[in-house]
Amino acid sequence: MFSRAVRPTLSLARSLSTSSQNHAKVAVLGASGGIGQPLSLLLKNSPLVSHLALYDIAHTPGVAADLSHIETRAQVKGYIGPDQLDAALQGCEVVVIPAGVPRKPGMTRDDLFNTNATIVANLADACARNCPEAIICIIANPVNSTIPITSEVMKKHGVYNPNRVFGVSTLDIVRANTFVAELKGLDPARVNVPVIGGHAGKTIIPLISQCTPKVEFPSDQLTALTERIQEAGTEVVKAKAGAGSATLSMAYAGARFTFSVLDAMNGKEGVVECSFVRSEETECKYFSTPLLLGKNGIEKNLGLGKLSAFEEKLVADAIGELKASIKKGEDFVANMK
């Protein structure tokens, strides 16, 4: 169902070379960080973006000056510190938020909660005040909690639109496509594995049974593949040995998702991406499934589709942790002063 034919925006290279002319103003909040810099570079390289507003608490004037010399049409401006945050968001149609601290070895995404929850809540508050109709794409972990936080903050301002707040889980799909392609000797650009659930550990549920092209694995290999996709972030954290977490692949995935949002805003049809959003598909208030994107964000939630028995168990095993992470985010905003 979610074949490459249905998903014309899936290849980042294709999005970078698209001839579509748009005039979107995009903000990157956390633009000086390990994800923010390469993400901003990819966005600057796209004809879908006309204005790029880069915000962080340090170094953004330098990052903006550097990127502004690139021979593409997007105008780049840097904003630094809380006093300039409102100005950065004025008139933005899409806001991408990679801000926050990265994982170190031995840390789970949930260990980032105390620091990143406050950062995301403050940035969501600024979005609600300055660009309440913008599409918000949250990369900051733990996504399973930062999306409920963003939603609750927007509700406090009376501007919450569940079709416009997205948790960027695209890296899970990118990894699943890559790992399946490696095992089967396929071109990863031609593989599409939907990944549902959440964006942490066992809440990451790759639907190998729905992969296009169709692939099959013996049960032991399927279990190992699923676990590798679920723990791929930790694989990178360990390999970087204290120097951070996945930044370059996350920037690629964040750009891919942003380009899909922009393509859909431009009227392109058949744009489908998985994302962690407000959902009625399971007993969890938020859940990632394939979404048909449109001019105003989510056009249609395509649901879980037909699951194998193995995948049904993965969903059942994820629900408890997901509910707890969602409640943690909601409680954080409820208790904010």
Side-chain angles (χ1 to χ4, degrees), residues 1-2 6 271-272 281 289-292 300-305:
M1 180 179 178
F2 306 113
V6 178
V271 181
V272 175
E281 299 300 316
T289 44
L291 308 167
L292 178 64
K300 185 181 181 187
N301 192 320
L302 300 176
L304 285 71

Side-chain angles (χ1 to χ4, degrees), residues 104-188:
K104 297 279 197 312
M107 290 176 75
T108 66
R109 289 180 180 88
D110 196 53
D111 291 333
L112 304 174
F113 183 90
N114 290 337
T115 303
N116 289 359
T118 303
I119 292 170
V120 170
N122 290 337
L123 296 176
D125 180 82
C127 291
R129 289 184 287 102
N130 294 286
C131 52
E133 295 185 2
I135 289 179
I136 314 289
C137 307
I138 304 285
I139 292 170
N141 273 313
V143 166
N144 293 356
S145 298
T146 54
I147 284 298
I149 287 170
T150 303
S151 302
E152 292 302 310
V153 169
M154 302 297 269
K155 284 179 192 174
K156 279 193 169 183
H157 286 271
V159 296
Y160 177 56
N161 182 341
N163 294 326
R164 301 176 85 86
V165 178
F166 295 92
V168 181
S169 59
T170 316
L171 184 50
D172 299 326
I173 292 88
V174 167
R175 286 167 166 158
N177 293 346
T178 301
F179 300 164
V180 167
E182 285 174 354
L183 290 170
K184 292 295 186 184
L186 298 166
D187 174 0

Side-chain angles (χ1 to χ4, degrees), residues 14 36 61 83 112-114 136 185 206 216 227 233 274 277 292 296 332:
R14 215 164 298 153
D83 292 347
L112 304 174
F113 183 90
N114 290 337
I136 314 289
E216 291 185 358
E227 288 174 357
C274 296
V277 297
L292 178 64
N296 299 302
F332 177 83

Side-chain angles (χ1 to χ4, degrees), residues 244-290:
S245 56
T247 52
L248 302 172
S249 53
M250 185 61 247
Y252 167 89
R256 173 184 138 169
F257 186 79
T258 305
F259 295 146
S260 288
V261 165
L262 291 171
D263 274 335
M265 285 171 64
N266 280 354
K268 188 177 240 183
E269 296 184 354
V271 181
V272 175
E273 290 282 359
C274 296
S275 180
F276 188 68
V277 297
R278 187 76 173 87
S279 175
E280 307 293 331
E281 299 300 316
T282 68
E283 58 193 273
C284 291
K285 285 186 192 172
Y286 299 85
F287 203 83
S288 181
T289 44

